[in-house]
Amino acid sequence: MFTIEHEFDATIVTLVDEGEAPLLEDVIISTFEECVTLQQADPRTDQMRTITLSLAQVRDLAAALDLPEGAYQLQGSSD
């Protein structure tokens, strides 16, 4: 399951882990004009962990999901 919310400066997607236990914490993906952040609570430390990706990294990740093993460099627009 996931939710999508539009706020003033970001679009926020929350991925909710469903199914059989053990379940992982929700992942919150916030897209801004200049970057994308991924956040997930760490139950061991009770802190929120954040990863920030540039728009180019997000583009590369999206492409990587459909490619076989190897090293790639995408051609085209640079972010």
Side-chain angles (χ1 to χ4, degrees), residues 9-21:
D9 64 343
T11 296
I12 300 170
V13 176
T14 302
L15 306 176
V16 179
D17 197 12
E18 293 184 294
E20 300 201 22

Side-chain angles (χ1 to χ4, degrees), residues 6-79:
H6 298 291
E7 296 194 1
F8 174 70
D9 64 343
T11 296
I12 300 170
V13 176
T14 302
L15 306 176
V16 179
D17 197 12
E18 293 184 294
E20 300 201 22
L23 299 176
L24 297 176
E25 298 291 329
D26 295 354
V27 175
I28 302 167
I29 305 165
S30 302
T31 57
F32 299 93
E33 189 173 322
E34 69 283 347
C35 68
V36 174
T37 62
L38 293 89
Q39 295 181 303
Q40 186 176 42
D42 184 343
R44 295 169 296 171
T45 62
D46 203 27
Q47 293 182 338
M48 189 66 86
R49 301 294 183 186
T50 302
I51 296 173
T52 302
L53 301 173
S54 70
L55 298 179
Q57 289 173 312
V58 172
R59 182 198 67 220
D60 290 350
L61 175 59
L65 295 175
D66 292 326
L67 293 170
E69 184 176 338
Y72 300 88
Q73 182 175 14
L74 296 179
Q75 302 297 318
S77 65
S78 62
D79 295 323

